[in-house]
Amino acid sequence: MEQFLGIIEYVLKNYGIPGGLLLYFLWKDSKTFELFRNTMQKIVNQLEAMQKDQSELKKDIDEIKKFIK
């Protein structure tokens, strides 16, 4: 926490309020990107699981078709 406050103090001292605002928006944007990345990873994981289930169902259907013929 002290390191974070030191960074804020340094930015405000050298760049003023506009620098502080820029730092805030850069930080905010990184959090938004991290949220987006995590959400996309969850979607990819779900799609992979669905694809695996679909291939297993296809194998089961092929087996059933063999018994029907």
Side-chain angles (χ1 to χ4, degrees):
M1 184 68 174
E2 286 181 27
Q3 185 179 16
F4 178 71
L5 293 175
I7 292 171
I8 292 174
E9 181 182 351
Y10 174 80
V11 169
L12 289 176
K13 196 182 291 184
N14 292 309
Y15 302 104
I17 300 291
L21 289 172
L22 179 61
L23 182 65
Y24 169 76
F25 286 115
L26 288 173
W27 172 79
K28 185 73 170 165
D29 188 50
S30 70
K31 293 294 183 185
T32 302
F33 177 75
E34 183 179 341
L35 177 66
F36 174 75
R37 184 178 59 83
N38 290 340
T39 301
M40 291 307 290
Q41 186 61 49
K42 288 178 184 176
I43 290 171
V44 167
N45 292 343
Q46 279 187 320
L47 288 173
E48 288 174 347
M50 288 169 60
Q51 190 176 30
K52 182 180 175 188
D53 290 344
Q54 183 181 14
S55 66
E56 290 176 6
L57 286 173
K58 185 176 181 189
K59 288 177 186 176
D60 291 344
I61 289 173
D62 290 341
E63 289 294 320
I64 291 171
K65 284 180 180 178
K66 288 178 184 178
F67 288 114
I68 292 176
K69 290 182 180 180

